[in-house]
Amino acid sequence: MKADKKISVVLCTYNGEKYLKEQIDSILTQTYPVYELIIQDDCSTDRTTSIVQAYKEHDDRVKLFVNSISLGFNYNFSSAFNKATGEYIASADQDDIWEENKLERMLLNIGNSRMVFHNSM
């Protein structure tokens, strides 16, 4: 599949260190390339931000934003979506691990629609 569409992935975190590395790896190694990975942290007190910082230092697609005050789940995602610059936005939870072709399959199925829904296993 030709990678002619830019896909931003928005991932919001809060004390998510347990599964975060696996989730980030599953996003950055998609069969359809990720244009940018926006990660916005909502005042974590664990190692979440240091994990993301390590990825950021080795991959310029990773962008980390840390809230100065806790916004809560909905406002954190809303704020993070506004930072995305790709043509499409895919949202990610901090504890999911994506199938390697998730974005490719979503892009193939969106057609002329404005949104595509996906489920989890």
Side-chain angles (χ1 to χ4, degrees), residues 11-27:
L11 169 64
C12 288
T13 58
Y14 176 73
N15 291 341
E17 72 177 299
K18 184 174 182 180
Y19 301 107
L20 191 56
K21 287 181 183 180
E22 290 176 281
Q23 173 58 327
I24 292 173
D25 288 341
S26 76
I27 292 170

Side-chain angles (χ1 to χ4, degrees), residues 66-78:
V66 180
N67 297 333
S68 58
I69 60 168
S70 179
L71 299 178
F73 181 83
N74 290 329
Y75 287 113
N76 195 29
F77 263 105
S78 177

Side-chain angles (χ1 to χ4, degrees), residues 105-118:
R105 291 181 69 197
M106 289 176 69
L107 195 57
L108 283 171
N109 286 289
I110 197 165
N112 292 323
S113 301
R114 295 177 51 103
M115 182 185 302
V116 64
F117 173 79
H118 62 90

Side-chain angles (χ1 to χ4, degrees), residues 77-95:
F77 263 105
S78 177
S79 173
F81 285 142
N82 285 321
K83 294 174 174 69
T85 62
E87 297 167 73
Y88 294 102
I89 300 172
S91 62
D93 289 325
Q94 66 187 5
D95 60 351

Side-chain angles (χ1 to χ4, degrees), residues 32-44:
Y32 191 93
V34 170
Y35 172 67
E36 64 183 352
L37 173 55
I38 306 287
I39 301 175
Q40 186 156 305
D41 186 73
D42 202 25
C43 302
S44 290

Side-chain angles (χ1 to χ4, degrees), residues 46-59:
D46 65 359
R47 296 181 46 245
T48 296
T49 56
S50 62
I51 291 168
V52 176
Q53 188 62 40
Y55 278 92
K56 185 178 180 239
E57 290 173 7
H58 293 78
D59 193 323

